[in-house]
Amino acid sequence: MHQSNQTSGEWKSECPASGAMSAGRCPMREDGLDPTNMMPPANQQPSPGQPFPLSTDRVVSSIPKGGSNDKWVYPSPQMFWNAMVRKGWKWEKDDLNPKDMGHIIKIHNANNERAWQEILKWEALHAKECRNPKLISFKGRAQDFTIRARIRSLLGYELPFDRHDWIVDRCGRHVRYIIDYYDVGDEDAYKTGEFVELDVRPAPFDSFGSALDRMRVAMLRWSLYFSSGNETSDAQPSKSD
């Protein structure tokens, strides 16, 4: 995601990062990266050797941006292409086409919207404290597997293919959320673009409050699991995050 006031430069990553907003503005580091998303200013120019033109249209998300009254803005297909080229991705002439990039952008945006909705479910535990949480910053940490992900791996499950850390402003209190992205591995899901499962939760070791939220939700899920199992013999428990 990008902020709506970015107008020039090169886009690096689609993902939240640790960083601070200052007086509602987005300060730039000495290396030119925006500390709220660890990205250079947006680049809408075609990459050298790009085989086809791409749209530069951007979509405004539903996610409120910390430090302002604006919302975060998603990258255009051209910006996403430039990001992948920057990260070293290479394709043969017929590997991708503009329609493919449109699908990639839709999936990317949908995953971010789903992640925010999952965060809002957690934030509902604190609705009396703050009714309008906002996203301050985010960071991609694909190679930093959490303890939870490693334990799942030891039990035979796949490791997540990506991880983001999102910093949320809970009306003055900064709360870090971890988002693990898992490949569902279902062929039909690939056809519909719904092949990503999200595991969204507050970072438990950041504060006592976050750990308490995790325990409260775990207890609620277990109680729902056992109550649904006792009501009817063929009842199936809902899948947890």
Side-chain angles (χ1 to χ4, degrees), residues 58-209:
R58 304 176 65 183
V59 175
V60 178
S61 77
S62 69
I63 306 172
K65 185 175 64 178
S68 75
N69 294 320
D70 298 329
K71 296 184 183 298
W72 288 83
V73 182
Y74 291 122
S76 68
Q78 181 62 65
M79 293 164 64
F80 208 102
W81 176 279
N82 291 342
M84 291 192 294
V85 170
R86 178 184 176 88
K87 292 178 178 180
W89 287 78
K90 295 181 180 179
W91 303 270
E92 298 297 330
K93 182 177 180 181
D94 298 326
D95 284 348
L96 286 176
N97 58 53
K99 187 176 180 179
D100 293 330
M101 288 303 300
H103 289 321
I104 291 172
I105 287 293
K106 288 181 180 178
I107 293 171
H108 165 269
N109 296 357
N111 285 337
N112 278 286
E113 294 294 328
R114 287 172 56 203
W116 181 246
Q117 291 305 311
E118 290 298 314
I119 287 175
L120 291 181
K121 293 177 183 178
W122 287 96
E123 286 298 303
L125 298 172
H126 304 276
K128 292 183 179 180
E129 174 187 347
C130 181
R131 301 189 63 85
N132 297 295
K134 297 184 177 184
L135 177 61
I136 300 175
S137 62
F138 55 90
K139 182 178 183 179
R141 302 179 61 184
Q143 300 303 315
D144 296 335
F145 299 117
T146 63
I147 295 175
R148 179 185 179 110
R150 292 184 185 277
I151 292 175
R152 283 173 54 90
S153 178
L154 291 174
L155 295 175
Y157 295 95
E158 295 288 336
L159 285 167
F161 67 84
D162 199 4
R163 169 191 168 181
H164 294 175
D165 283 13
W166 291 25
I167 309 298
V168 172
D169 178 7
R170 184 186 294 160
C171 297
R173 184 190 300 272
H174 293 185
V175 182
R176 181 168 64 99
Y177 282 87
I178 299 171
I179 307 170
D180 282 330
Y181 296 77
Y182 291 91
D183 189 334
V184 173
D186 185 287
E187 187 172 341
D188 292 332
Y190 285 116
K191 294 177 181 178
T192 61
E194 299 175 352
F195 57 86
V196 178
E197 181 175 337
L198 307 182
D199 184 1
V200 183
R201 69 275 188 197
F205 303 122
D206 284 10
S207 69
F208 175 76

